[in-house]
Amino acid sequence: MRRALTSFAGRAGVSLEGRGRIGGMKLLVLGGTWFLGRAVVAGALARGWEVTTFTRGWSGAPVPGAAVVHGDRTDGADVARLAGLGPWDAVIDTSASELAPRTVLMGATALAPVAGRYVFVSTVNVYRGWPDEALSLESEVLDGPPEADEEYGRLPADWTGPDWYYGRQKAGAERAAVAAFGAGRVSLLRPGVILGRGEYVGRLPWWLRRAERGGEILAPGDPAKSIQPVDVRDVAAFALDQSVVSGGQVHNLAAPIGRETMGGFLTACLEATASTGRLTWVPDEVLVRSGLRQWSEIPLWRTHAGVWNIDSTSAFDAGFRSRPLRETVADTWAWLSEGNSPVPHPRWAEHGIAAEKERSILAGIS
Ligand SMILES: NC(=O)c1ccc[n+]([C@@H]2O[C@H](COP(=O)([O-])OP(=O)(O)OC[C@H]3O[C@@H](n4cnc5c(N)ncnc54)[C@H](OP(=O)(O)O)[C@@H]3O)[C@@H](O)[C@H]2O)c1
């Protein structure tokens, strides 16, 4: 049975009921207990901000120090109750990865009268050209109306063209945020791949565990290939910065093109784990011929020309800082080594090549 929205004094949170406005920045985080949302909350608290999180309470413990409100974004009564607990200076929306545009519209419409700005965490998938073309802010954004439901853009089972479902849903959600708050009060942030502490997708954790295991490691493609993951803390810091700027903003968020390479990344994984493993680079053509599932069976490997060709100049001009990838790798290993594990997620199991298959591909090229 669905839980009713409750405002309560959780194990680590504090009650919101009966609480008046206190000085300083007041921030509402939609999400806040998982990966990016958690980093946003931690960053805001470190800035001395007053933070409220809104989640169903299903996954992840609250960050100590944040006020906790439980409810479901798909439920109008829960959202109305949340709005009644305002006002906030800004909202940062980190929980719309699987929500229909109309759900984002409902929430943003309820919050627009009680919040100053809306920072919506979107994705580079909103571009029609992803992952095949170089992307900039001028690139075409997919269709997707603000009132679309979760069926909008769903592809038939026999579809062999580009998978635009997620991108269309997120593009519709961006339009929903703008429709409710007005473009001048919205920041749309479009990250590529986010890595770091708390990652539940299974990309960097898989590579770290593979490096730890050692032996001959299948390294995909070209070691000099540019890649552009960003650290979750850097995305969080920029989202916080964006919550206090004025005017409409749209930014792609990816590491500078050419700064990081696949070779540098895998070397950082070996170093972080003090691995005795050695990398054997296998050309793209061989991997493609082997029928490997790109992006997941070998995490972060994808041959499409646009995957790591994202122009984030506007974000850097606006103060976005992207730390070196080796720092993200080392810190994530430290986090895993402390015995932490990510929130269980179905995508985790999709990641990584089976040891037997890896051995067989390596044997085929020797
Ligand atoms: N990971 C990446 O590489 C990447 C790349 C580009 C963009 N993004 C975007 O970044 C954003 C943040 O991603 P994330 O990985 O940190 O987390 P996420 O999977 O988007 O969100 C999870 C959070 O939202 C809450 N939540 C989920 N459904 C809810 C609902 N119906 N009502 C209320 N709360 C709900 C969850 O708590 P409960 O389960 O307790 O409700 C949890 O705190 C997403 O919009 C994602 O699309 C991620």
Side-chain angles (χ1 to χ4, degrees), residues 95-127:
S95 66
S97 61
E98 290 174 4
L99 298 179
R102 69 173 179 181
T103 302
V104 174
L105 183 63
M106 175 176 71
T109 302
L111 293 170
V114 293
R117 267 190 90 68
Y118 199 89
V119 179
F120 181 73
V121 180
S122 184
T123 165
V124 290
N125 291 63
V126 296
Y127 293 115

Side-chain angles (χ1 to χ4, degrees), residues 169-234:
Q169 289 276 315
K170 288 289 269 197
E174 285 189 357
R175 293 184 182 102
V178 169
F181 270 74
R185 288 203 287 151
V186 172
S187 287
L188 301 175
L189 306 185
R190 297 171 178 158
V193 168
I194 306 171
L195 301 178
R197 290 167 171 249
E199 188 215 315
Y200 59 82
V201 180
R203 294 166 172 149
L204 177 50
W206 186 82
W207 273 116
L208 285 164
R209 292 293 182 206
R210 178 64 196 89
E212 180 190 29
R213 207 165 79 232
E216 187 180 11
I217 300 171
L218 189 163
D222 177 359
K225 174 143 183 164
S226 166
I227 61 173
Q228 297 180 275
V230 284
D231 192 288
V232 66
R233 293 163 294 182
D234 295 336

Side-chain angles (χ1 to χ4, degrees), residues 7 48 51 60 67 69 71 80 83 125 148 157 170 189 220 255-256 261 266 298 328-330 346:
S7 175
V51 184
V69 180
N125 291 63
K170 288 289 269 197
L189 306 185
T261 62
L266 294 187
I298 299 191
T328 306
V329 169

Side-chain angles (χ1 to χ4, degrees), residues 21 25-26 28 87-91 111-119 181-182 184-187 242-247:
R21 184 165 186 180
M25 180 76 182
K26 285 188 68 174
L28 171 64
W88 293 277
D89 297 300
V91 180
L111 293 170
V114 293
R117 267 190 90 68
Y118 199 89
V119 179
F181 270 74
R185 288 203 287 151
V186 172
S187 287
Q242 286 288 300
S243 73
V244 295
V245 298
S246 57

Side-chain angles (χ1 to χ4, degrees), residues 33 36 56 58-59 72-73 94-95 97 166 170 192 194 200:
T33 52
L36 176 60
R56 294 163 301 183
W58 293 5
S59 37
D72 191 329
R73 289 187 66 178
T94 66
S95 66
S97 61
Y166 176 58
K170 288 289 269 197
I194 306 171
Y200 59 82

